[in-house]
Amino acid sequence: MLCLRAIRPFSWRVFHFRPFSFEPVISQMNNCTDEEQVFGLIEKNKSLLSEKQVGCALSMLWQFQKQKTSSVKNVDCIRNHPQFLTLRNLATTKMGFMSDSTLVNVLYIIQQFGIEAHDSLVEALVTEAWRRLERFDISVLSKFSSCLADQHLYYSPLMGKIADIVNRNLENIQDLRSLSVLMVSISSLISQRFQEKLVNKAELLFDTMDSSQVNTARRIVQFLRNIKYSYYPLLERCNKVFLSNMNHLDLDSISKILSLYHSLQFHSFEFILMTKKRLTEMIPLFDHPASCVKLFVALGPMAGPEEKKQLKSTILLMSEELTGQQALAVMGAMEEMESRNSRLIKKITSILHKHLDNYKPIELLRITQALIFLHFQSKELFVKLRELLLSYLKVSVIPSEISILVYALSMLPSAHLDDVRMSQIEAVLPQCDLHDLNIFATSVLRCIQYDHMYLDNIPGKQLKVLQKLDHYGHQRLQECKSLNLLWEEVKSLKGDWFADSLLEETVVTLQRLMDEINYINVAGIASFISRTNILSTSLLDKIASVVLQQIEKIHPFAILAIILPFSTLNYDPPQRDEFFGTCIQHLHSYLSVLDPLVLVFLGYSLATLGYFPEDLLKAIFNIKFLARLDSQLELICSSLNMKVQFRLMELNRAVCLECPEYQIPWFHDRFCQQHYIKDFGSMNGAQQQIYKMLAEVLGGINFVKASVLTPYYYTIDFECILDKRRNPLPYGSHNTTLEKLPKIPLESNTQIAGSRLPPGAEKIALEFLDSRAFCRNIPHLKGKSAMKKRHLEILGYHVIQIPPFEWNSMALSTKAARMDYLRERIFGEGKS
């Protein structure tokens, strides 16, 4: 008994700080209406607060902050409050008693209040969480991974441990919200197979997700962006979540989604249309620079003339308040908008100039590109840019950073690199991938061109670097053992050096690795081949084979990219009908949801190949679709807008000529007259020489017409008429103008071109083709030129296409030889 009495006072002294009930204090905290009331409770109870009450106090402080707009948040005041220091000290001493969820929540909130990663409390919390890692449930693990991501610990052993836990327990995870957080956090260090497992798991759990969980859908899209995988089934489902919640999306959410879609090259017409409407409604709501800049960047590229004017005026009014980063964002948006507002350009440029010393190399490149694109001239700014780029270059040792700096320097008005810089480039070449090598080559070629024009010499150092670039480029291709790694390096390559030095070797490497082509990468590889202009029948046959075997795994959104090389290069695989039939059938149920631009390009590509699926054409040539297309044309840049309109015209022409039974009217007269009148009838020097030769061959200038415009607005270099005995017939007049052309009826009449000819006579169309009409590696006519020949024949012409490798050959180096060649092509029996 005495022993017990002796123990009782001791135990009270030891455990007096743990009250029998902590509920009243937590209840009081939950009833607080601002931070000061929370801090008051902390001051009164600091000697008695438990670990749970510490966690509750921090949660309440963060709740108050989240409820405030960015302009009235007072994080600094909270962080510097004396009682916040008390909370920090209590959290340090009591973290061992905290539950797993409280521990991680405290770490999360501490970081949200701006406490740095190297702070002793943050380090202690992370260490304690690491010790408990294996027992964390999925929600706690996801929040902890988010905390590590906020510290940029994407490649840390701790994040690797989290990835391992997720991998081992993936089958048992049923919470997509938590899984989506983990997917984003661990995306930097997981294998391709693990990536695919996560994508499949997210797809499996998607239907369990509440349709209002926008953040979960956004994180899934962010994960796909991080792993560079445009997986259409998931993107499509996430897009539906965004569309159904559009009225609840704020400016931040819309901006993030637009940025992710841009990175993934995912286009959703409905999302853009609804986003434009939603953002336009926000214009009067914001008067804070940060919000206005974000709105300018998001809405500007898709806005109409009035909205653009309003946005520019708003940015001009608050330009004095913009930070360096905000000015950079505005300049990037102006470049995308193709803006030529000199006043705004000058104002934003002055802000950039003021902050120039604070920008990173990649940001200096973006500034340089924007200034060049917007045709802004400022000797003082360009001189400072050059000085900064050179100063970074002198200390940089990272190949990718050096390539960025050199590329930016080469874009400046005086594109010159001295021998020291050339030696620096030369030294890092063995470490470069194809992307960096291509950037270096483009930069060096620019400098060579500048030196040749202005310094009248080409330093030997530059030529030596070019030779080494070729060597390392070929070496990298020859040593490549993975198609996916190769694809990552070459998919965005372009420019003269790549085309001249590495393109054919790249195709050879693709052929070597083509057994690795599958449903995941087939669309990307096909798209790349269509840009090469190199006809590789083995690669295209492999693509067709993969598509036929794995069509169910290929999303209909990818079909356009797959068809493109066959269309562009004018190639039919061995199983032509089965291949194209399968592709078209796979698209059938998606015709109503495909992006209008994609549908137009798809229809044109198939028409080039001579395929005219009736369902596809009916989906395009109707009033409702054309209205949707008009709406989308308002949202895109002028160059793409014009390309789409030309493709629609060419598709309309092809259908009228090749499928008159569909009774689709020709409705592009006005469009063609606007775009063909300007240059119609003009001839360059070479064409004038050919015109004179043809006049001699045919018997006089009145036997040949130059720059002829046919029905349906095809242009022909030269035209002549031969009677049934193959004798030339004279024209009545040579000054045929567009207004004197026969009127084109709404419905196609395939006899229109020959309807006024004498019996047995035929019109000859002579086309002098350039190298672009043929494949790069073999004299094979490409799709567009082949379709033109087909259409001219339908219009009643006998078509003679003269390739450049014949006309410019040594065999035709004299005028007499060329005259004989023309006679043979025009009058020879069986020639075409």
Side-chain angles (χ1 to χ4, degrees):
M1 191 71 180
L2 290 173
C3 289
L4 289 173
R5 286 178 181 173
I7 289 170
R8 282 181 62 192
F10 171 77
S11 62
W12 176 249
R13 283 196 306 273
V14 173
F15 298 108
H16 73 278
F17 58 86
R18 295 182 65 87
F20 291 113
S21 173
F22 45 72
E23 298 304 326
V25 176
I26 288 182
S27 297
Q28 291 176 64
M29 286 183 183
N30 288 332
N31 290 327
C32 290
T33 57
D34 59 35
E35 295 94 331
E36 285 304 323
Q37 290 183 10
V38 176
F39 284 137
L41 279 172
I42 294 167
E43 188 173 14
K44 287 179 186 176
N45 299 279
K46 57 186 174 185
S47 61
L48 304 174
L49 288 179
S50 69
E51 69 281 354
K52 190 170 182 180
Q53 291 163 344
V54 170
C56 180
L58 285 166
S59 294
M60 289 302 300
L61 292 173
W62 180 236
Q63 281 296 118
F64 291 133
Q65 284 302 302
K66 287 199 295 183
Q67 292 166 8
K68 298 176 182 179
T69 62
S70 57
S71 58
V72 294
K73 285 187 189 296
N74 57 339
V75 172
D76 289 343
C77 294
I78 300 300
R79 192 173 57 229
N80 296 326
H81 196 285
Q83 298 311 317
F84 190 79
L85 180 60
T86 300
L87 276 178
R88 284 184 46 135
N89 293 334
L90 287 168
T92 303
T93 58
K94 296 178 183 293
M95 70 175 66
F97 298 105
M98 291 179 182
S99 67
D100 295 345
S101 60
T102 300
L103 176 78
V104 172
N105 196 49
V106 167
L107 172 62
Y108 174 79
I109 292 169
I110 287 292
Q111 288 185 194
Q112 298 307 307
F113 278 112
I115 307 300
E116 298 291 344
H118 54 75
D119 184 271
S120 59
L121 173 58
V122 175
E123 290 179 347
L125 288 165
V126 170
T127 302
E128 178 64 22
W130 193 341
R131 189 176 64 80
R132 306 183 190 186
L133 201 59
E134 287 286 352
R135 78 185 198 200
F136 280 171
D137 66 28
I138 186 67
S139 61
V140 174
L141 189 67
S142 69
K143 195 164 196 173
F144 182 53
S145 75
S146 179
C147 293
L148 297 179
D150 288 343
Q151 295 182 35
H152 306 290
L153 296 174
Y154 302 106
Y155 298 98
S156 66
L158 183 48
M159 194 70 89
K161 182 65 176 173
I162 292 173
D164 178 59
I165 292 171
V166 174
N167 191 30
R168 284 188 276 115
N169 296 281
L170 189 58
E171 286 187 14
N172 300 321
I173 295 174
Q174 300 301 319
D175 177 12
L176 185 55
R177 190 200 69 80
S178 297
L179 179 62
S180 68
V181 175
L182 286 162
M183 288 165 67
V184 172
S185 299
I186 66 177
S187 58
S188 299
L189 42 69
I190 58 178
S191 67
Q192 184 178 346
R193 186 176 177 186
F194 191 10
Q195 291 171 4
E196 291 172 15
K197 285 172 64 178
L198 288 170
V199 167
N200 293 335
K201 184 68 176 183
E203 197 171 15
L204 188 67
L205 294 178
F206 205 92
D207 290 334
T208 67
M209 183 183 80
D210 189 292
S211 60
S212 64
Q213 287 191 20
V214 171
N215 287 336
T216 300
R218 179 185 54 75
R219 283 191 292 267
I220 290 171
V221 177
Q222 186 176 343
F223 171 74
L224 293 174
R225 191 277 310 272
N226 289 359
I227 65 172
K228 300 175 183 177
Y229 183 21
S230 296
Y231 185 64
Y232 290 121
L234 264 182
L235 286 171
E236 198 180 4
R237 295 173 81 173
C238 291
N239 191 57
K240 287 178 181 177
V241 172
F242 302 144
L243 291 174
S244 62
N245 291 277
M246 183 59 71
N247 291 334
H248 306 295
L249 293 181
D250 59 14
L251 178 58
D252 282 347
S253 297
I254 291 173
S255 297
K256 287 174 184 174
I257 295 166
L258 285 171
S259 175
L260 292 171
Y261 278 5
H262 180 75
S263 297
L264 286 165
Q265 295 185 319
F266 177 74
H267 306 287
S268 167
F269 168 62
E270 283 76 17
F271 182 78
I272 294 296
L273 206 59
M274 291 178 70
T275 295
K276 180 187 174 185
K277 182 176 180 295
R278 178 93 172 112
L279 292 175
T280 302
E281 292 167 354
M282 294 180 184
I283 292 177
L285 303 180
F286 297 115
D287 57 2
H288 189 268
S291 301
C292 286
V293 167
K294 198 167 285 187
L295 185 63
F296 185 89
V297 171
L299 178 58
M302 68 178 83
E306 284 303 313
E307 291 92 357
K308 283 181 180 176
K309 185 177 179 181
Q310 198 172 347
L311 288 167
K312 290 173 184 176
S313 299
T314 304
I315 290 292
L316 262 174
L317 284 172
M318 56 181 61
S319 57
E320 296 296 336
E321 304 174 58
L322 298 183
T323 65
Q325 287 301 314
Q326 289 165 352
L328 181 61
V330 170
M331 180 63 86
M334 290 172 68
E335 182 182 5
E336 195 174 347
M337 293 159 65
E338 300 176 350
S339 173
R340 292 292 184 266
N341 186 314
S342 57
R343 188 180 169 204
L344 183 57
I345 292 172
K346 189 174 181 180
K347 192 67 188 176
I348 297 301
T349 305
S350 69
I351 300 169
L352 294 173
H353 197 164
K354 185 169 65 176
H355 294 278
L356 214 54
D357 292 322
N358 302 321
Y359 291 118
K360 300 172 184 175
I362 187 65
E363 292 169 335
L364 292 177
L365 172 60
R366 287 167 55 194
I367 291 169
T368 306
Q369 288 175 316
L371 293 175
I372 300 300
F373 180 82
L374 296 171
H375 304 298
F376 182 78
Q377 298 295 324
S378 169
K379 184 177 179 180
E380 183 186 357
L381 178 56
F382 285 139
V383 166
K384 187 167 183 183
L385 257 175
R386 183 174 177 80
E387 290 173 355
L388 274 173
L389 290 166
L390 285 170
S391 66
Y392 274 119
L393 193 54
K394 285 175 183 176
V395 297
S396 181
V397 294
I398 303 169
S400 58
E401 186 176 85
I402 294 172
S403 71
I404 286 169
L405 293 165
V406 169
Y407 190 67
L409 280 166
S410 74
M411 294 182 71
L412 292 174
S414 53
H416 173 71
L417 292 169
D418 58 26
D419 282 359
V420 174
R421 302 284 75 81
M422 284 293 168
S423 296
Q424 188 178 6
I425 294 171
E426 193 176 0
V428 298
L429 293 184
Q431 306 167 51
C432 291
D433 62 14
L434 291 171
H435 181 264
D436 289 334
L437 291 174
N438 189 53
I439 290 177
F440 279 132
T442 303
S443 307
V444 172
L445 285 169
R446 278 203 197 116
C447 293
I448 287 175
Q449 186 179 17
Y450 172 81
D451 289 347
H452 182 64
M453 289 174 62
Y454 296 100
L455 304 182
D456 201 30
N457 73 320
I458 301 174
K461 192 74 173 176
Q462 295 179 349
L463 296 176
K464 184 182 176 185
V465 169
L466 268 185
Q467 290 171 349
K468 289 207 167 187
L469 280 161
D470 285 359
H471 167 74
Y472 285 113
H474 284 281
Q475 184 183 69
R476 191 161 183 88
L477 286 169
Q478 289 160 7
E479 293 175 355
C480 183
K481 292 182 173 61
S482 165
L483 181 63
N484 289 331
L485 291 177
L486 174 67
W487 169 238
E488 279 302 311
E489 292 190 31
V490 304
K491 63 182 178 182
S492 60
L493 295 190
K494 54 186 177 181
D496 292 341
W497 176 76
F498 176 67
D500 294 338
S501 301
L502 293 188
L503 188 53
E504 293 188 15
E505 182 75 32
T506 301
V507 174
V508 170
T509 308
L510 286 172
Q511 290 170 336
R512 175 166 56 84
L513 301 171
M514 68 181 182
D515 287 342
E516 296 178 37
I517 296 176
N518 55 38
Y519 71 95
I520 295 174
N521 57 30
V522 66
I525 302 297
S527 179
F528 176 77
I529 293 171
S530 67
R531 298 198 307 272
T532 65
N533 285 331
I534 292 178
L535 179 58
S536 167
T537 57
S538 59
L539 272 174
L540 292 179
D541 289 348
K542 178 64 178 179
I543 287 170
S545 173
V546 168
V547 170
L548 286 172
Q549 292 170 15
Q550 305 182 28
I551 188 66
E552 294 304 322
K553 297 179 181 179
I554 298 170
H555 198 277
F557 286 2
I559 294 298
L560 172 60
I562 289 168
I563 287 175
L564 207 53
F566 298 91
S567 165
T568 303
L569 301 172
N570 187 28
Y571 178 71
D572 290 331
Q575 58 278 63
R576 165 191 163 99
D577 293 334
E578 185 185 0
F579 171 64
F580 292 120
T582 299
C583 288
I584 293 165
Q585 182 60 37
H586 196 54
L587 282 167
H588 184 77
S589 60
Y590 273 79
L591 293 179
S592 61
V593 297
L594 277 174
D595 190 283
L597 302 190
V598 171
L599 214 55
V600 170
F601 287 126
L602 186 60
Y604 169 78
S605 295
L606 290 169
T608 306
L609 291 158
Y611 269 83
F612 297 91
E614 189 172 1
D615 289 347
L616 174 64
L617 296 174
K618 286 182 177 178
I620 294 173
F621 292 106
N622 65 74
I623 299 299
K624 185 178 178 182
F625 174 84
L626 294 174
R628 287 179 72 219
L629 181 62
D630 283 341
S631 299
Q632 189 169 20
L633 291 176
E634 295 175 3
L635 307 177
I636 59 179
C637 66
S638 58
S639 57
L640 181 57
N641 183 313
M642 190 53 58
K643 184 177 180 181
V644 174
Q645 291 190 62
F646 267 100
R647 289 292 180 261
L648 182 65
M649 180 275 289
E650 290 164 328
L651 175 59
N652 186 201
R653 176 169 62 195
V655 173
C656 289
L657 287 169
E658 299 195 58
C659 301
E661 68 274 14
Y662 290 162
Q663 296 187 325
I664 291 172
W666 166 254
F667 55 92
H668 278 91
D669 262 331
R670 184 176 299 176
F671 173 82
C672 289
Q673 288 171 9
Q674 288 172 348
H675 292 92
Y676 283 100
I677 285 178
K678 291 178 287 185
D679 300 321
F680 179 68
S682 61
M683 284 192 291
N684 58 35
Q687 288 170 324
Q688 288 174 3
Q689 287 181 344
I690 295 170
Y691 185 43
K692 291 174 183 176
M693 279 190 275
L694 282 170
E696 288 186 51
V697 168
L698 293 165
I701 201 167
N702 60 327
F703 288 93
V704 61
K705 276 187 180 179
S707 301
V708 177
L709 200 59
T710 75
Y712 295 103
Y713 297 89
Y714 268 121
T715 55
I716 299 175
D717 294 333
F718 302 99
E719 177 192 282
C720 63
I721 303 172
L722 300 183
D723 65 17
K724 61 183 179 181
R725 295 183 180 84
R726 310 292 291 170
N727 295 318
L729 292 176
Y731 288 92
S733 171
H734 299 283
N735 298 319
T736 304
T737 62
L738 188 61
E739 289 73 22
K740 294 179 183 177
L741 285 170
K743 291 291 182 181
I744 301 169
L746 286 180
E747 293 190 13
S748 174
N749 180 348
T750 57
Q751 298 303 313
I752 187 170
S755 59
R756 298 182 183 178
L757 297 180
E762 69 174 350
K763 280 189 177 181
I764 308 291
L766 285 104
E767 285 277 282
F768 285 80
L769 304 177
D770 62 22
S771 59
R772 292 172 298 179
F774 295 88
C775 295
R776 184 185 181 93
N777 56 328
I778 57 173
H780 178 80
L781 197 64
K782 287 165 60 178
K784 190 168 185 178
S785 297
M787 180 169 67
K788 180 176 181 179
K789 183 174 188 246
R790 201 166 69 230
H791 289 173
L792 290 177
E793 288 171 345
I794 292 172
L795 287 168
Y797 283 96
H798 174 69
V799 182
I800 299 172
Q801 292 182 322
I802 299 175
F805 46 82
E806 289 184 8
W807 186 250
N808 298 318
S809 66
M810 288 298 292
L812 301 184
S813 58
T814 65
K815 180 183 176 182
R818 285 184 167 182
M819 297 273 283
D820 289 341
Y821 175 84
L822 290 173
R823 288 190 190 96
E824 179 68 19
R825 295 303 304 268
I826 295 170
F827 301 116
E829 292 296 323
K831 299 289 182 182
S832 62

